[in-house]
Amino acid sequence: MTHPPERPRRFPELRDAVRALCAQFPDEYHRRIDRERAYPEAFVDALTRAGWLAAMIPAEYGGAGLGLAEASVVMEEINRSGGNAGACHGQMYNMGTLLRHGSAEQKQRWLPPIARGELRLQSMAVTEPGAGTDTTRIRTTATKRGDRWVVQGQKVWTSRVQHSDLMILLARSTPLEQVAKRSEGLSIFLVDLRDALGHGLTVRPIENMVNHETNELFIDGLEIPAENLIGEEGRGFRYLLNGLNAERTLIAAECIGDGRWFVDRATRYANERVVFDRPIGRNQGVQFPIAEAHIEVEAADLMRWRACELFDAREPCGAEANMAKLLAAKASWEAANACLQTHGGFGFAADYDVERKFRETRLYQVAPVSTNMVLSYVAEHVLGLPRSY
Ligand SMILES: Cc1cc2nc3c(=O)[nH]c(=O)nc-3n(C[C@H](O)[C@H](O)[C@H](O)COP(=O)(O)OP(=O)(O)OC[C@H]3O[C@@H](n4cnc5c(N)ncnc54)[C@H](O)[C@@H]3O)c2cc1C
């Protein structure tokens, strides 16, 4: 039995174009990069040259000026093709902070080279070892000295620093004791990593379960020019929150791409593998988990489109973006489990790529926001339950 053809999906031309590019980087490529713990430079380069990572930069700055819906298709197709958008998704959404809150001068200076792919803004340093999810308790400080800010502190899990020219940094610019609300007194800066490395900024890579280029940052007397403060001093936490809806929806789309990859691979293998004189897929114990995974991926996809539509219509979409992220991350993880189980022992063999994608998709239950935080958001902001932390 052959797998039925895929049903028509939204944005078919866009999908075909991204798929054609991804097809130049087959499984062996991603497998080798993972094995060598390398960065998929050629792949990211090709995506950059084709303009896909500048999808959401407005045309006036040289980007494609597309909506979140189209941008999410790019991310979905990367993961659907067996790749991992985690290597480059920051380039798509980190610039949003600059776009929404930067001055006209900052946007004119930075966005065109980012759109052309000459500068990479792939990194965002928010998380700290002491504060964890409790972002308003970060201890990294920024102190104004003349025409510079001087930064002191430490960050953890700052991804893609080694493959970025620019980084968004969150630091406390007014001490916690002096603000009325904990969310006040935090500021966002654009750090030029080309100047910062070795001049107040030290990077230590973190070996981790996924081939994710992520790092600890030690910041000691790092000087940032005053003109690199984004927006108003003290409003950085609000700016950070404003960027989360796009990020969460794009990650949801990546999970949906993963989910479809797992369902396809599981279906194919279940049809091909013969044990006890029958394809294993004839057993309901094998086919039901795959069918269930498919249903959950498709359901999550509906919420992803809802979030995209609201975002692109400039309507509030915090609830939908969070729900899409939670549903999609759960669905891709369940699909990963079903796919691994369907493959039996071969699921553990690197050559089948299942174990690699399994590790990669697991991350999205934890980062960029953990499942519990999404549940807390919905409980408090959608249902009106008391704040739990
Ligand atoms: C590979 C990777 C890449 C990352 N990239 C970046 C990056 O580029 N930039 C960046 O800033 N950060 C990044 N992160 C950090 C990521 O966003 C955090 O790991 C995540 O937000 C969770 O924070 P934490 O690890 O400190 O967990 P903690 O805050 O210590 O939480 C641990 C667990 O307790 C739960 N928990 C905590 N408090 C509560 C509560 N009140 N109610 C219920 N449950 C609770 C959490 O949900 C979590 O499951 C990355 C992380 C990883 C693993």
Side-chain angles (χ1 to χ4, degrees):
M1 199 184 108
T2 53
H3 186 41
E6 191 180 40
R7 281 196 301 121
R9 298 202 190 279
R10 297 187 202 194
F11 305 109
E13 293 89 8
L14 174 62
R15 278 179 201 282
D16 286 349
V18 181
R19 275 183 199 185
L21 186 153
C22 291
Q24 297 166 33
F25 298 88
D27 291 345
E28 301 79 53
Y29 172 82
H30 297 295
R31 201 181 305 145
R32 177 176 59 76
I33 294 287
D34 182 63
R35 188 174 57 239
E36 294 173 359
R37 286 292 194 256
Y39 186 77
E41 196 65 60
F43 183 50
V44 175
D45 230 46
L47 288 164
T48 307
R49 270 187 279 112
W52 295 125
L53 300 181
M56 293 179 77
I57 299 180
E60 59 178 305
Y61 300 110
L66 298 173
L68 184 63
E70 290 95 332
S72 77
V73 169
V74 176
M75 297 285 107
E76 178 194 338
E77 289 299 330
I78 291 173
N79 280 34
R80 174 83 162 78
S81 77
N84 180 8
C88 57
H89 54 200
Q91 182 76 352
M92 195 174 255
Y93 55 68
N94 285 345
M95 66 81 208
T97 310
L98 196 54
L99 182 64
R100 276 185 305 275
H101 306 292
S103 65
E105 206 185 341
Q106 286 172 330
K107 289 194 267 195
Q108 207 51 60
R109 176 175 175 197
W110 299 109
L111 289 176
I114 293 171
R116 288 193 297 272
E118 291 162 12
L119 290 182
R120 283 182 178 166
L121 171 54
Q122 304 219 85
S123 243
M124 169 148 359
V126 174
T127 309
E128 295 189 7
T133 308
D134 195 357
T135 305
T136 59
R137 289 196 195 266
I138 60 166
R139 293 205 198 113
T140 296
T141 56
T143 314
K144 188 87 182 283
R145 296 231 179 96
D147 62 351
R148 328 229 108 206
W149 289 89
V150 181
V151 184
Q152 206 68 33
Q154 193 182 338
K155 295 284 174 183
V156 71
W157 303 115
T158 313
S159 301
R160 299 168 296 271
V161 176
Q162 299 165 57
H163 297 89
S164 288
D165 304 293
L166 305 169
M167 175 179 85
I168 303 276
L169 173 75
L170 183 75
R172 182 158 281 291
S173 48
T174 307
L176 201 52
E177 314 77 68
Q178 293 172 24
V179 291
K181 280 165 69 185
R182 282 196 293 152
S183 56
E184 292 167 1
L186 294 162
S187 298
I188 282 198
F189 302 90
L190 188 68
V191 177
D192 193 326
L193 291 164
R194 298 165 301 176
D195 300 333
L197 284 167
H199 298 98
L201 177 68
T202 310
V203 175
R204 189 157 81 198
I206 304 175
E207 212 176 300
N208 62 91
M209 175 173 143
V210 199
N211 178 29
H212 203 94
E213 192 251 272
T214 190
N215 310 274
E216 270 183 290
L217 304 186
F218 300 92
I219 309 172
D220 186 10
L222 170 69
E223 295 192 358
I224 304 175
E227 70 257 25
N228 284 24
L229 170 76
I230 299 181
E232 274 177 59
E233 179 192 338
R235 292 174 64 85
F237 189 70
R238 181 182 298 260
Y239 299 162
L240 189 72
L241 295 186
N242 289 346
L244 295 183
N245 293 336
E247 182 190 82
R248 283 177 192 172
T249 309
L250 290 170
I251 301 277
E254 289 173 37
C255 290
I256 286 158
D258 278 344
R260 293 200 166 122
W261 185 94
F262 288 119
V263 169
D264 276 1
R265 292 293 170 111
T267 306
R268 195 168 82 192
Y269 191 78
N271 274 321
E272 287 168 7
R273 172 76 169 161
V274 175
V275 180
F276 295 111
D277 296 325
R278 54 160 82 180
I280 56 169
R282 194 179 292 165
N283 303 299
Q284 291 184 336
V286 174
Q287 59 179 237
F288 283 7
I290 306 172
E292 197 161 5
H294 171 73
I295 292 166
E296 284 174 9
V297 171
E298 293 302 307
D301 197 32
L302 297 177
M303 188 62 80
R304 164 269 192 101
W305 290 120
R306 184 77 191 120
C308 287
E309 279 157 14
L310 290 169
F311 185 94
D312 287 336
R314 294 186 163 70
E315 286 184 39
C317 64
E320 289 76 11
N322 272 288
M323 292 191 289
K325 153 73 173 58
L326 182 135
L327 289 170
K330 265 173 91 171
S332 73
W333 176 235
E334 285 313 319
N337 260 321
C339 186
L340 188 95
Q341 196 70 16
T342 302
H343 280 75
F346 290 108
F348 291 79
D351 277 358
Y352 283 74
D353 300 297
V354 176
E355 62 83 33
R356 170 174 61 83
K357 294 283 280 180
F358 181 92
R359 285 182 278 116
E360 287 171 359
T361 217
R362 182 62 179 84
L363 175 64
Y364 298 120
Q365 304 264 347
V366 172
V369 60
S370 66
T371 303
N372 278 359
M373 290 300 112
V374 175
L375 293 171
S376 293
Y377 177 91
V378 172
E380 184 187 339
H381 297 285
V382 181
L383 304 178
L385 289 162
R387 186 176 168 84
S388 64
Y389 56 89

